[in-house]
Amino acid sequence: MNRIFNFSAGPAVLPVPVLEEAQRNLVELPGVGMSVLEISHRSKTFEDMLARTEADVRTLGKVPANYKVLFLQGGASMQFSMVPLNLLTPGATADYIVTGAWAQKAVKEAQRVGTVNIAATTESDNFSRLPKPEEIELTPGAAYVHLTTNNTLFGTEWPSEPAVGDAPLVADTSSDMFSRPIDVSKYGLLYAGAQKNLGPSGVTLVIIREDLLARSQKSLHTMLNYAVHAENGSMYNTPPCFGIYLMGLVMKWGLAQGGLDAINAVNQRKADKLYAEIDRSGFYRGTADKAGRSRMNITFRLPSEDLEKVFVKESTAAGLDGLKGHRSVGGMRASIYNAFPEAGLDALVAFMQEFEKNNG
Ligand SMILES: *Cc1c(COP(=O)(O)O)cnc(C)c1O
């Protein structure tokens, strides 16, 4: 195999055993004689596949029984609209904690629907940190409070949920879902585009507390209505069959790793390795505040933009792909999701030490 180390922010690296199983069974599912790409979504084979994927999501995430698990399309970006369309009841206010560009996009869609309160924002610090508890100004009786658990572009991640009172907490977990144990019962709704930690692009995981489904008005467009998707078990129309199949394989892989505690331990070790190198010398400089550093997207800069260009070029040539940071931060970003191999961190750290020796 000639697989390189893929630091892409998303779509991102998938577990090799998942790719291998999908490849083995792509032309012909065992005992079915057809590809998963060809079978009816109403077939017993696919229904079983969907049920197994949901069951494994529930097991891996310890999802309580009073939550629905939905597999939708339109990416996390569609959830920016669906969340307010379904949950922002007339006359109420939705609170948004803005810690990055994805949260800003979520706000933009919510503002089309109703009243939005920016409960906190760290934009004036270029989103290099999370708000402190005393900076968060919540609306009494808010319809919900929305946050982004991990800020893919800026490299910050909530170590744990902030206190938000009684309002349902709604979270965009696209870039750190199932990277650590998650207490679903603390949330009203969780959503994640699959293409970072859960599978390929094209399927979005939504976990919603059942009582919130009562807020979805019949007047909503059918495909934008959580209650319709829940009543139909994500099968109101043709679901993203291949994405669900692949997410199922990723869930199976996650369970085989030992579940979220085990995945968390590996992720911590991987992130610690890279942060230790970033903090070791003055040559590399982390861009995110240490109290809220991401373990999924690690952002750092070099002494000059010229050196950063050389770093990107030479690291790519060395088989370390996708390290160029987002333009809003500059520098480097190493995205090291669940499936990113630990050996890739060793390779990156060795490259960084060599690069500093040659250029420092
Ligand atoms: C990638 C990402 C998105 C966008 O996801 P799409 O599926 O492309 O719409 C939204 N939020 C976060 C936190 C992301 O990392």
Side-chain angles (χ1 to χ4, degrees):
M1 266 207 292
N2 294 307
R3 282 174 63 81
I4 60 173
F5 291 119
N6 174 10
F7 291 91
S8 167
V13 59
L14 286 163
V16 171
V18 166
L19 296 173
E20 286 174 338
E21 180 168 347
Q23 180 188 45
R24 263 196 316 276
N25 296 345
L26 186 70
V27 174
E28 193 186 319
L29 281 167
V32 179
M34 292 179 281
S35 171
V36 61
L37 296 166
E38 301 170 309
I39 54 174
S40 165
H41 61 295
R42 305 286 173 196
S43 64
K44 174 93 171 55
T45 303
F46 183 74
E47 278 183 1
D48 289 350
M49 211 176 257
L50 178 64
R52 212 162 44 238
T53 302
E54 178 182 337
D56 286 349
V57 165
R58 287 183 177 281
T59 306
L60 192 64
K62 297 195 166 76
V63 180
N66 63 324
Y67 284 74
K68 293 284 188 198
V69 174
L70 307 177
F71 302 94
L72 305 182
Q73 302 193 54
S77 299
M78 181 68 96
Q79 296 310 307
F80 298 164
S81 299
M82 283 181 75
V83 164
L85 283 169
N86 286 268
L87 302 185
L88 182 43
T89 39
T93 296
D95 283 347
Y96 278 70
I97 299 173
V98 178
T99 49
W102 292 117
Q104 287 179 311
K105 288 186 173 170
V107 165
K108 188 173 153 204
E109 300 311 317
Q111 284 171 333
R112 297 179 201 276
V113 178
T115 308
V116 170
N117 168 47
I118 308 295
T121 176
T122 52
E123 187 177 9
S124 60
D125 291 318
N126 198 33
F127 298 122
S128 59
R129 66 176 185 90
L130 300 167
K132 298 182 192 71
E134 62 270 23
E135 290 175 296
I136 303 175
E137 291 178 17
L138 300 165
T139 307
Y144 59 87
V145 180
H146 181 283
L147 62 77
T148 315
T149 49
N150 180 72
N151 299 288
T152 325
L153 275 53
F154 297 92
T156 62
E157 182 179 22
W158 292 90
S160 60
E161 301 83 358
V164 296
D166 293 333
L169 184 57
V170 173
D172 176 358
T173 62
S174 292
S175 50
D176 67 347
M177 190 66 175
F178 291 168
S179 67
R180 58 185 176 184
I182 181 165
D183 183 354
V184 172
S185 71
K186 286 187 176 163
Y187 295 86
L189 187 151
L190 295 150
Y191 63 91
Q195 66 272 19
K196 280 123 189 179
N197 266 320
L198 306 178
S201 64
V203 55
T204 307
L205 180 67
V206 173
I207 301 177
I208 179 170
R209 209 175 63 212
E210 272 169 3
D211 61 286
L212 292 174
L213 294 170
R215 292 197 196 176
S216 299
Q217 299 297 310
K218 290 237 178 341
S219 58
L220 272 178
H221 284 251
T222 310
M223 282 296 288
L224 299 175
N225 189 320
Y226 288 132
V228 169
H229 289 296
E231 277 157 26
N232 289 278
S234 305
M235 293 268 278
Y236 174 77
N237 72 326
T238 316
C241 297
F242 186 73
I244 292 168
Y245 164 71
L246 218 80
M247 195 192 286
L249 297 185
V250 173
M251 294 303 107
K252 199 170 76 170
W253 173 83
L255 291 168
Q257 302 309 296
L260 298 186
D261 284 317
I263 288 172
N264 179 50
V266 175
N267 283 333
Q268 191 61 49
R269 208 158 59 221
K270 289 183 337 195
D272 285 348
K273 251 181 205 171
L274 183 46
Y275 280 126
E277 177 57 22
I278 291 169
D279 294 340
R280 185 185 53 79
S281 74
F283 188 74
Y284 300 105
R285 181 171 52 83
T287 67
D289 178 50
K290 282 188 186 174
R293 281 172 160 181
S294 172
R295 306 178 324 153
M296 296 285 103
N297 310 97
I298 296 184
T299 50
F300 59 96
R301 309 232 28 184
L302 275 70
S304 73
E305 288 190 16
D306 285 342
L307 272 178
E308 287 172 343
K309 282 190 192 121
V310 180
F311 187 98
V312 170
K313 197 160 152 249
E314 292 187 1
S315 59
T316 306
L320 307 169
D321 195 75
L323 284 165
K324 189 176 186 327
H326 192 269
R327 61 188 177 283
S328 53
V329 181
M332 307 299 137
R333 172 177 52 175
S335 298
I336 51 170
Y337 300 116
N338 290 353
F340 188 88
E342 220 167 336
L345 270 309
D346 297 329
L348 175 57
V349 167
F351 176 85
M352 287 167 74
Q353 291 176 352
E354 186 64 25
F355 190 88
E356 183 183 348
K357 215 178 330 151
N358 296 337
N359 299 278

